[in-house]
Amino acid sequence: MKQPLVSVIMGVFNQWDEKVLKESVDSILKQTYSNLEFIIWDDGSHPEAAKIIQKLDGLDERIIVAGKEENRGLAYSLNECIRLAKGKYIARMDADDISKPLRIEKQVAFLETHPEYGWCGTDAELFDENGVWGLRPMPEIPNLKDYFYYSPYIHPSVMFRAELFDENMGYLASEETLRCEDYEIFMNLAIRGQKGYNLKENLFCYRETRDSYKKRKVKFRLNEAKIRYKNYKKMGILFPIGWIYVFRPIAACLIPTKVLEFMKRHEGSRHKRAEGIPKKAGVLQNQS
């Protein structure tokens, strides 16, 4: 295989649904842009789940399956993928999401012609087992204040310049960053003076089911508050408004999960209605 321009990286831990995993992987293999390698890291999955991942190894010559028996977390997995990557660009992917066919092609075209940006993400359609239920538009050129609400990039939709990751830069693999690895690395890059961009097209399908909200445990929200405090301080946005947003994830602990789910779904559905997307739109429709 020739030297790839793009390295797609994906960490997998106990993805039991083989069909969902295969759909995710296929969405990369069927990209209109083909000069890529696909590094899939098994983060210590259960032996039976690991067998599902190993089946991917012979699916396409561009796939590289690696990993360890010990579960170390997503940040560690992504750092290992980056260490193996040969591409000029590093594109993220998750084991239950779907990239639309033009995603990689359009991100490469953007980064090749806009050297002032270190990475770019995209807008996304939100879907579950019933199809697309909402949209998640992101700020086109995020500024520091955009970090108050949430990460201004959809992590698995992002493509980075590989040169951003040197011996001093990678994902912070610690207990503190569990479930907010993406938030931390984007703030860290911003602190270093790097800039990101979001393509204003729905080039990604982000899976957000009702079970997704159950994963957001109190300890993860407390960790997020710590990450916000540490990085807001470095970014110079802690005082006075930043303090309010440091406590935002903690305040969310007091709101029932069903209320948070309703709020998120209402917001996503509102964007969908504004775009005029059919109520029962399928995930794989309109993939340009």
Side-chain angles (χ1 to χ4, degrees):
M1 188 177 78
K2 65 180 180 179
Q3 179 77 14
L5 188 71
V6 178
S7 298
V8 181
I9 64 173
M10 183 169 78
V12 188
F13 175 65
N14 285 350
Q15 173 51 284
W16 295 98
D17 194 322
E18 186 171 359
K19 180 175 181 291
V20 167
L21 178 60
K22 182 69 162 45
E23 286 177 347
S24 177
V25 170
D26 280 347
S27 77
I28 292 297
L29 299 179
K30 294 177 180 178
Q31 289 288 302
T32 56
Y33 187 89
S34 61
N35 186 19
L36 57 84
E37 64 178 352
F38 194 179
I39 304 170
I40 302 171
W41 184 271
D42 178 5
D43 186 27
S45 296
H46 183 281
E48 292 304 312
K51 289 179 183 178
I52 296 174
I53 299 171
Q54 284 299 323
K55 287 182 183 179
L56 303 172
D57 199 18
L59 199 61
D60 190 288
E61 66 172 359
R62 295 171 295 175
I63 291 179
I64 300 167
V65 175
K68 292 186 177 180
E69 294 183 358
E70 183 183 0
N71 176 239
R72 299 287 297 273
L74 181 60
Y76 175 87
S77 298
L78 297 181
N79 284 337
E80 290 300 298
C81 288
I82 291 168
R83 184 178 60 80
L84 296 173
K86 299 181 178 69
K88 177 181 177 181
Y89 300 115
I90 294 176
R92 278 283 290 114
M93 186 62 193
D94 273 349
D96 58 354
D97 297 326
I98 293 174
S99 290
K100 293 193 177 184
L102 288 170
R103 175 202 162 185
I104 301 296
E105 179 181 335
K106 290 196 172 187
Q107 288 182 305
V108 168
F110 177 83
L111 291 174
E112 288 282 273
T113 55
H114 294 80
E116 67 272 28
Y117 292 103
W119 67 94
C120 71
T122 79
D123 287 349
E125 294 176 353
L126 305 174
F127 77 102
D128 57 18
E129 62 279 1
N130 297 314
V132 176
W133 59 263
L135 301 177
R136 184 159 294 164
M138 307 304 289
E140 186 172 7
I141 306 175
N143 58 44
L144 294 183
K145 291 183 179 179
D146 286 315
Y147 287 89
F148 283 152
Y149 300 98
Y150 44 72
S151 171
Y153 304 93
I154 298 170
H155 187 209
S157 81
V158 168
M159 179 181 288
F160 299 93
R161 295 186 189 278
E163 65 195 40
L164 293 178
F165 300 100
D166 55 28
E167 65 276 6
N168 299 314
M169 184 65 206
Y171 288 86
L172 180 58
S174 72
E175 181 75 22
E176 193 176 75
T177 59
L178 288 175
R179 301 285 179 191
C180 53
E181 301 91 348
D182 55 334
Y183 202 14
E184 199 282 333
I185 198 167
F186 291 129
M187 286 193 283
N188 204 335
L189 286 166
I191 289 166
R192 292 176 56 168
Q194 298 291 337
K195 294 192 303 180
Y197 186 93
N198 282 309
L199 300 178
K200 300 306 294 174
E201 296 183 65
N202 297 319
L203 296 171
F204 196 75
C205 298
Y206 186 78
R207 186 182 299 271
E208 194 159 282
T209 66
R210 286 176 167 79
D211 286 340
S212 301
Y213 299 93
K214 297 177 183 177
K215 299 177 183 177
R216 295 163 191 177
K217 299 177 181 178
V218 172
K219 69 174 183 178
F220 298 139
R221 296 191 183 279
L222 292 174
N223 286 344
E224 183 182 336
K226 294 176 185 177
I227 291 294
R228 285 175 180 255
Y229 170 76
K230 181 181 73 174
N231 287 291
Y232 286 179
K233 190 174 181 180
K234 292 178 181 178
M235 295 162 83
I237 58 173
L238 181 61
F239 185 82
I241 303 299
W243 270 110
I244 298 172
Y245 291 93
V246 165
F247 292 105
R248 189 172 189 264
I250 298 174
C253 295
L254 306 176
I255 302 174
T257 300
K258 285 190 177 296
V259 175
L260 287 174
E261 178 192 336
F262 173 80
M263 293 167 61
K264 286 277 191 178
R265 291 210 162 224
H266 176 74
E267 181 68 12
S269 296
R270 183 175 66 82
H271 289 302
K272 181 183 173 185
R273 290 194 300 272
E275 291 286 333
I277 293 179
K279 188 174 181 180
K280 291 293 184 180
V283 178
L284 297 177
Q285 289 178 350
N286 304 317
Q287 288 216 25
S288 61

